[in-house]
Amino acid sequence: MAARREQTESMVAESNSTPRPADAETVPGDHPTGVAALVRLALVLVDRTGRIAQWSRAAEELFGHRAEVAHDRPASGLLPAVEPFGAPGPATGPVLRRRCDALDTLAALTATGRPWAGQMAVIDREEHLRDVLWWAYPLPDPPGGLLALAADARPLRTAGPRLALGERLLPFAATPPARGGFHRLGAALTPPGRLRAGLLPADQLAGLLPAGSADRRALLLDVLDQAGLPALRLDPATVLPVLPADPQASAAHAAAGLGRRYPTAQQRAARVGPPPQPEQSSPAARTVRGRPSSPLPTQREAAERSAAQPTGAPAGVPSPTTPAPTTPAPTTPGPTTLSQAVPSPTGGGAAIEPAAVEPPATGHPARHADQAPPAHAPSDAEGGPPGRLGSFLTNGQAGEQLALLNEVGGKVGTTLDLGFTAHELCKVLVPRVADFACVDLVDGLISDSELPVARPDDDTMLRRVALVYNETSGAWDHVLAEGSLVSMPRRTPPGMALQLNQPVLVPVVSADVAVDYAIALGGARLAPVVTGRSMLVVPLSARGTVLGILKLLRLPDRAPFDESDAATLKELAVRAALSLDNARLHRAEARVATTLQRSMIPTRPPQIPGVQIAHRYLPGDPKAEVGGDWFDAIQLPGSRVALVVGDVMGHGLHSAAAMGRFRTAMQTLAALDLPPGQLLRHLDNLAHKLGDDHLATCLYAVYDPINRTCELASAGHVPPVLVHPDGSGELLEIPAGAPIGVGGVPFVAKTIDVSDGSMLVLCTDGLVEVRGGDIGAGLAALCGNLIDPRQSPEQACDVVLKRLHSDDRKDDVALLVARFDGVAPSEVATWDLTVDHREVRRARSLVREQLAGWHLEALSDITELLVSELVTNAVRVARDRVQLQLIRVDKLLVEVSDDNHNLPSLEPAEQLGETGRGLTLVTKLAERWGTARKAVGKVVWFELPLPHACRPGPAPVRG
């Protein structure tokens, strides 16, 4: 407790926040009661159809996907993730946890109607693995769906969360020796009813929720309050409730003290008196690094006009006795300078005029010998540190300029990673050239594969990809973090540089320019953050496209930027932009390949009654997402499931493309419900049509959970292993056949009986084959007591990979484990019907009685109606057999089979017609429905969700 008290005292001592004035009015509920953590929360709302209905600005910054791209698209597949562990912790290094989809996993974790809080690593749009803390809430019907809140775990674990202590915002940070002690921080939930009890402010949480009616927001707040509000678990005994943080709140508090820590030239002059005049300065003070220097012409002219201006005249308006200055026309393109000499045409802010720059042979503007340095820039002779005070780039230091350009060429662009290249550029410039450097790139260039056609405008969104600052020059907590999105209008220096594709120089940021720039950053309250600083914004343009901007800042204790700096840094930016564009092109190509590869393998096993499935995939090449191995689990009529594992011979993208073709063909043939031997024969014929270079081994198995049988056929593949309920493993002897693509060899199937609780292990040779060894050794280990049948398939996959797989293997590994649980006979009802129209009435009666026995009377009316329509259609076309089957699992599955192979089709019914409405009713009333061919005839099926009280409890989630 004493250590905790000392830590709290140190937090209060380190605070850089500003308390509210004593006379300010405090509104009840305006501030949290006690202590709460302020966290930047991203919100994702998924509707009951599985589509994204809300994607907040914080979600854009955290995951990289823009709201217009994510909105109204299927949630599944948008956020690849790594399956969460039970205990929180950073996801580092290669892990054997399987890849999954973040939103699908959250939906499964909340399927019981309870919220879930924990950590799940997500792969963002930039293909970076992010540790994310999640709070997921299932929404009741109506409207149904899923509400997910997320926060970036990395900054919370490195620096700790910010705290709301009454009216002060204090950083929750340990003392420097103990810094980094938040690695065990995780997500949690508060006890229910905190809002109703008034312990937390409802207005702050309501501001985070999606826009809508007051009743809808009240409903969402009530759901969160009853389930438990988001919280952070700092240690087993400390849980802090979470409040959404305003991203600009810390900047507003930091801005209040910036004038004290970094005074502007005007503030400093008011404290120490007027600076010495140039003619009174010593010769040493008149030069900087051996060259004459002076303020910029625009600065000097503004100072002269200010001195001659009558008292009380508005700033920036010429005196009646002073002629208005004239600006010479630029002879060559140069940096645009923000001048305070001419009023803004919009009535506010500084006017913008091009600087008259006539570069000599060195490429920099000439200076006059009688120009004095700025008063706030002491020379080296006065003891100023070299390279710290005074201008960095001068006419007399062409060699130093060349050294800087050479350093950029050698240190920038060493990799093809876009973010790393941007960081390299900023690190070269800080603190050598500036105190602060950041790279903001056009967000559309990062997300879209094609370059935008339109030029950047006021609505163009920029994403901060790199940020470097001089830590010795003070705190920079007010700066927007990497990943932040911002739009810069043309009236701001960054917006002007972006839209004009020219450098913009602001020697000293005036109050007018600071207000416009601060509004673009998030609010006029940030104006003190940039007032009095020197700013240079250089566009990053390559191959005719403006990629973004490079922004540089110098604090007031350093000489401001000038045209010489702008000319040199413009050349530097051109070279750096080419490296950034090369990284962008490489990433676009890699993204295309990754998207293609990920679409070829499933991310989450299907939920099929009577069988539990888990799979793993490990590519042989760590840089690739997938190779030539594949696996699949396909649901068939009658609650049956087809299990597939295959291996295309070869490696690389060519094998992956061939694998994609085989997998698609396998799914199409499986939908025809062909026997395993016939299916492999059709696949072999298809391989011959694709070309001679398409060879693959394949194993195809069909499990029937009602009859408890498994039929298997192999095309030269590694035989599977059946683990019996007692733990003994059996290597199944199946006719091997020949690989797909060889041709001329029959594929013979084998049917075996399986007991409930047994496991079937299917894998590729990359798991059991050791280079220089025998494949039999790996199969023998797999048949040993390696798998405990009491384990879940997920645990079995982890055990197999841990025991048999090693990092030195270069072949792909595909592993699929299926646990056969079967469907209890009491959950299945089957009737054979004669081909007679009177059987329709009997079918309705049978369904009514069976549903009453299952206590599903609530589904009786809809089920009887749909069964009546399907049996009527079957009796009309069948020759001598019709079958009706009901299966109760996690849903009600109804199947009507007949011996006619022609599949029915959904066609528009006539408005006054008496027939043709059967399938239309099925489409409107059933949750899912479909048709499939069988070995003899066809089957038409539909599904109805069970009432919530009748649903069986799901299996516990094991981490």
Side-chain angles (χ1 to χ4, degrees):
M1 292 299 294
R4 177 70 65 183
R5 189 182 305 110
E6 293 175 358
Q7 184 178 8
T8 304
E9 293 175 354
S10 66
M11 290 188 297
V12 175
E14 295 174 3
S15 172
N16 62 355
S17 61
T18 303
R20 180 180 277 193
D23 58 349
E25 180 182 358
T26 302
V27 180
D30 187 32
H31 295 286
T33 301
V35 182
L38 295 176
V39 179
R40 178 73 162 156
L41 291 177
L43 181 141
V44 178
L45 181 63
V46 182
D47 61 20
R48 61 179 304 175
T49 64
R51 293 185 173 272
I52 294 177
Q54 186 77 18
W55 189 267
S56 69
R57 178 68 169 269
E60 292 182 316
E61 297 177 354
L62 179 59
F63 304 120
H65 301 281
R66 296 296 303 278
E68 54 266 26
V69 176
H71 182 70
D72 202 33
R73 66 153 286 170
S76 179
L78 180 62
L79 293 178
V82 178
E83 187 180 48
F85 276 144
T92 58
V95 292
L96 293 181
R97 287 178 287 170
R98 64 182 176 87
R99 293 282 289 271
C100 62
D101 182 83
L103 298 178
D104 283 349
T105 303
L106 293 178
L109 292 171
T110 58
T112 59
R114 296 181 179 180
W116 180 84
Q119 173 190 323
M120 179 165 51
V122 172
I123 299 175
D124 63 11
R125 189 188 60 181
E126 308 304 318
E127 302 298 327
H128 296 154
L129 187 66
R130 283 182 175 269
D131 281 339
V132 178
L133 300 180
W134 292 91
W135 297 268
Y137 299 88
L139 301 180
D141 294 330
L146 175 71
L147 176 64
L149 302 177
D152 193 352
R154 182 177 62 87
L156 294 175
R157 291 200 174 106
T158 55
R162 294 185 63 85
L163 294 186
L165 299 177
E167 298 182 3
R168 297 174 59 88
L169 299 181
L170 303 178
F172 189 89
T175 57
R179 191 171 296 276
F182 297 97
H183 60 279
R184 298 185 64 85
L185 181 145
L189 296 172
T190 66
R194 298 295 295 270
L195 289 181
R196 187 172 303 174
L199 299 178
L200 288 174
D203 54 348
Q204 286 187 252
L205 290 172
L208 175 69
L209 299 178
S213 64
D215 293 341
R216 176 173 171 79
R217 285 200 171 194
L219 173 63
L220 294 178
L221 278 177
D222 188 60
V223 170
L224 268 63
D225 191 32
Q226 292 181 8
L229 299 174
L232 291 179
R233 185 179 301 278
L234 303 183
D235 54 54
T238 306
V239 176
L240 295 180
V242 169
L243 292 178
D246 182 358
Q248 304 300 341
S250 59
H253 283 262
L258 281 178
R260 177 176 63 255
R261 292 194 296 264
Y262 306 116
T264 63
Q266 294 82 357
Q267 293 170 335
R268 187 164 44 250
R271 295 178 184 178
V272 302
Q277 298 298 322
E279 57 271 12
Q280 298 174 352
S281 302
S282 63
R286 294 176 58 85
T287 60
V288 178
R289 295 213 172 191
R291 69 166 177 88
S293 178
S294 72
L296 291 172
T298 53
Q299 290 178 283
R300 187 175 61 253
E301 292 166 6
E304 293 171 356
R305 285 191 298 274
S306 176
Q309 190 171 352
T311 303
V317 179
S319 171
T321 60
T322 304
T326 59
T327 302
T331 57
T332 58
T336 302
T337 305
L338 291 185
S339 172
Q340 301 178 14
V342 183
S344 169
T346 61
I352 300 173
E353 60 181 17
V357 181
E358 181 65 34
T362 59
H364 301 292
R367 296 180 180 268
H368 300 287
D370 60 347
Q371 292 180 346
H376 60 277
S379 65
D380 296 344
E382 296 175 315
R388 170 64 178 168
L389 302 177
S391 298
F392 176 75
L393 302 173
T394 69
N395 290 335
Q397 292 181 324
E400 192 169 1
Q401 300 169 15
L402 182 60
L404 177 64
L405 295 176
N406 290 337
E407 185 175 356
V408 170
K411 293 185 177 181
V412 178
T414 58
T415 67
L416 289 176
D417 183 87
L418 187 63
F420 191 80
T421 301
H423 276 93
E424 290 176 332
L425 173 60
C426 294
K427 289 179 179 179
V428 169
L429 300 176
V430 176
R432 185 174 182 179
V433 176
D435 296 307
F436 170 89
C438 69
V439 173
D440 298 339
L441 298 183
V442 177
D443 188 63
L445 292 174
I446 302 175
S447 59
D448 300 336
S449 58
E450 298 181 358
L451 296 177
V453 179
R455 295 177 59 87
D457 53 23
D458 288 359
D459 296 328
T460 300
M461 299 300 297
L462 298 174
R463 183 177 292 273
R464 181 151 296 175
V465 297
L467 168 66
V468 175
Y469 49 81
N470 186 6
E471 296 182 356
T472 61
S473 61
W476 296 84
D477 296 337
H478 56 277
V479 176
L480 292 178
E482 293 179 7
S484 301
L485 286 172
V486 64
S487 61
M488 289 293 172
R490 186 164 180 169
R491 65 178 181 271
T492 64
M496 181 182 299
L498 181 69
Q499 298 183 33
L500 296 182
N501 193 18
Q502 291 183 3
V504 174
L505 172 63
V506 189
V508 177
V509 179
S510 66
D512 295 335
V513 175
V515 169
D516 286 339
Y517 183 45
I519 292 176
L521 286 176
R525 57 188 175 180
L526 303 181
V529 174
V530 293
T531 302
R533 280 62 180 158
S534 182
M535 179 187 300
L536 177 60
V537 186
V538 186
L540 297 171
S541 178
R543 300 179 176 95
T545 300
V546 180
L547 306 178
I549 54 174
L550 167 66
K551 185 171 64 179
L552 304 171
L553 289 176
R554 285 180 180 173
L555 294 178
D557 60 351
R558 196 167 179 173
F561 291 108
D562 56 20
E563 287 91 344
S564 177
D565 301 333
T568 302
L569 292 171
K570 179 181 179 181
E571 176 64 24
L572 180 149
V574 170
R575 302 186 182 188
L578 288 175
S579 299
L580 290 170
D581 196 47
N582 290 337
R584 180 189 65 83
L585 293 173
H586 176 266
R587 188 179 57 178
E589 295 176 359
R591 181 174 296 170
V592 171
T594 301
T595 303
L596 173 65
Q597 293 170 343
R598 285 181 179 171
S599 64
M600 296 177 182
I601 56 176
T603 58
R604 186 174 184 84
Q607 303 295 322
I608 301 176
V611 59
Q612 301 179 42
I613 301 172
H615 51 63
R616 298 288 188 273
Y617 182 84
L618 298 178
D621 183 4
K623 299 180 180 179
E625 289 286 340
V626 68
D629 294 10
W630 87 92
F631 52 85
D632 238 326
I634 307 168
Q635 187 169 5
L636 301 177
S639 292
R640 293 174 301 144
V641 58
L643 307 175
V644 186
V645 170
D647 183 3
V648 176
M649 297 183 181
H651 301 279
L653 191 60
H654 177 76
S655 297
M659 178 270 289
R661 295 180 180 179
F662 280 129
R663 180 170 180 253
T664 302
M666 181 72 74
Q667 291 177 330
T668 304
L669 294 173
L672 301 178
D673 201 9
L674 299 174
Q678 294 184 23
L679 185 142
L680 294 180
R681 168 55 55 202
H682 285 286
L683 191 64
D684 183 68
N685 294 336
L686 177 63
H688 285 284
K689 297 178 181 179
L690 295 177
D692 297 337
D693 56 343
H694 288 72
L695 295 177
T697 63
C698 181
L699 180 66
Y700 185 79
V702 177
Y703 169 65
D704 188 341
I706 298 176
N707 298 322
R708 291 166 174 75
T709 61
C710 186
E711 186 178 9
L712 308 95
S714 175
H717 198 76
V718 176
V721 173
L722 180 65
V723 180
H724 296 282
D726 59 0
S728 60
E730 176 188 358
L731 188 66
L732 298 181
E733 297 181 359
I734 304 173
I740 299 296
V742 174
V745 179
F747 300 101
V748 181
K750 180 179 180 179
T751 302
I752 61 173
D753 295 328
V754 292
S755 304
D756 292 348
S758 57
M759 286 188 177
L760 185 66
V761 182
L762 297 84
C763 65
T764 55
D765 56 3
L767 180 64
V768 295
E769 184 178 20
V770 181
R771 184 167 298 180
D774 186 8
I775 193 175
L779 290 175
L782 196 60
C783 292
N785 297 327
L786 190 61
I787 298 178
D788 186 350
R790 294 172 296 180
Q791 295 175 334
S792 67
E794 297 289 345
Q795 294 172 327
C797 286
D798 292 337
V799 170
V800 171
L801 290 177
K802 184 178 180 180
R803 299 284 183 87
L804 299 182
H805 184 261
S806 59
D807 295 336
D808 58 346
R809 298 193 179 184
K810 303 302 181 182
D811 198 4
D812 302 336
V813 173
L815 174 65
L816 189 148
V817 176
R819 178 189 179 92
F820 299 146
D821 295 329
V823 177
S826 60
E827 307 299 316
V828 182
T830 306
W831 303 279
D832 291 325
L833 307 178
T834 60
V835 183
D836 190 337
H837 288 284
R838 288 174 295 184
E839 291 287 89
V840 176
R841 178 182 300 178
R842 176 171 172 254
R844 288 196 297 266
S845 177
L846 294 172
V847 168
R848 186 183 312 111
E849 295 176 1
Q850 185 62 53
L851 293 181
W854 284 342
H855 305 288
L856 296 178
E857 293 87 350
L859 300 179
S860 181
D861 292 338
I862 296 179
T863 308
E864 289 182 45
L865 174 62
L866 300 185
V867 166
S868 175
E869 296 292 339
L870 295 185
V871 172
T872 299
N873 293 341
V875 169
R876 184 178 301 154
V877 299
R879 291 189 295 271
D880 58 3
R881 186 179 67 86
V882 175
Q883 187 182 73
L884 172 63
Q885 186 175 66
L886 272 64
I887 305 174
R888 184 185 67 165
V889 280
D890 57 342
K891 52 186 172 291
L892 179 63
L893 175 61
V894 180
E895 297 182 350
V896 177
S897 307
D898 61 72
D899 54 5
N900 187 295
H901 69 279
N902 293 320
L903 298 179
S905 59
L906 182 63
E907 298 179 356
E910 296 293 337
Q911 185 174 4
L912 299 178
E914 297 181 1
T915 60
R917 300 183 182 274
L919 291 183
T920 302
L921 291 174
V922 174
T923 304
K924 299 295 184 181
L925 300 178
E927 185 179 55
R928 293 177 62 237
W929 76 280
T931 62
R933 284 191 173 92
K934 302 177 65 175
V936 177
K938 66 176 182 297
V939 59
V940 183
W941 57 270
F942 66 87
E943 296 176 357
L944 293 175
L946 298 182
H948 192 74
C950 301
R951 295 178 184 177
V957 179
R958 296 180 173 89

